[in-house]
Amino acid sequence: MAKETTAEPLDVIPTEGENCHTAHHLCMPEDSRKRAARRLAIARGHLESIRRSLEDPNVYCVDVLRQIKAVQGALDGAASVVLRGHLEAHVATAATRGDEKELVEELMDALKYI
């Protein structure tokens, strides 16, 4: 989720590869987005495999549980990538932007989801 740093709306959404950090808007770093998307694609593949396996009347419960754990691991990995990107791109630079207090509050709120 983007962090608005002022009440003014951002008029222009940056295109791919452009720096989207402005006085009015923070966005997820491109590398983090791509890495998280890859991990989510892996999770989606595992999840689809589990769904298909449940169509088999002979599916073994422990095999399903193992695959569910793999999906959870992929999701946790994606969350870690997003959190690291946020810490490196936004939290570490908050003092230079002057929005440290807002980012600390946002981070404390975000930690509920991890």
Side-chain angles (χ1 to χ4, degrees):
M1 178 179 281
K3 167 74 174 139
E4 293 294 327
T5 57
T6 67
E8 296 178 33
L10 180 64
D11 297 326
V12 178
I13 305 268
T15 59
E16 183 75 22
E18 265 186 60
N19 184 357
C20 65
H21 294 238
T22 68
H24 308 289
H25 180 80
L26 299 177
C27 64
M28 184 182 293
E30 184 175 354
D31 179 59
S32 295
R33 282 187 302 109
K34 288 180 178 181
R35 290 175 52 218
R38 262 194 312 274
R39 289 176 183 259
L40 291 173
I42 291 168
R44 180 176 51 197
H46 280 300
L47 194 56
E48 183 57 28
S49 173
I50 296 167
R51 193 197 60 72
R52 281 193 313 269
S53 75
L54 292 172
E55 294 171 0
D56 179 357
N58 298 318
V59 68
Y60 185 52
C61 303
V62 175
D63 291 339
V64 172
L65 291 171
R66 201 174 285 129
Q67 288 299 312
I68 289 172
K69 193 65 173 172
V71 171
Q72 290 170 334
L75 293 174
D76 288 344
S80 292
V81 166
V82 172
L83 177 59
R84 178 175 291 280
H86 183 67
L87 292 172
E88 291 173 352
H90 307 310
V91 176
T93 59
T96 60
R97 287 189 314 274
D99 62 354
E100 313 91 337
K101 290 181 183 178
E102 293 88 354
L103 276 213
V104 167
E105 289 302 316
E106 180 184 68
L107 184 57
M108 292 305 294
D109 187 50
L111 289 175
K112 296 175 192 173
Y113 305 110
I114 296 176

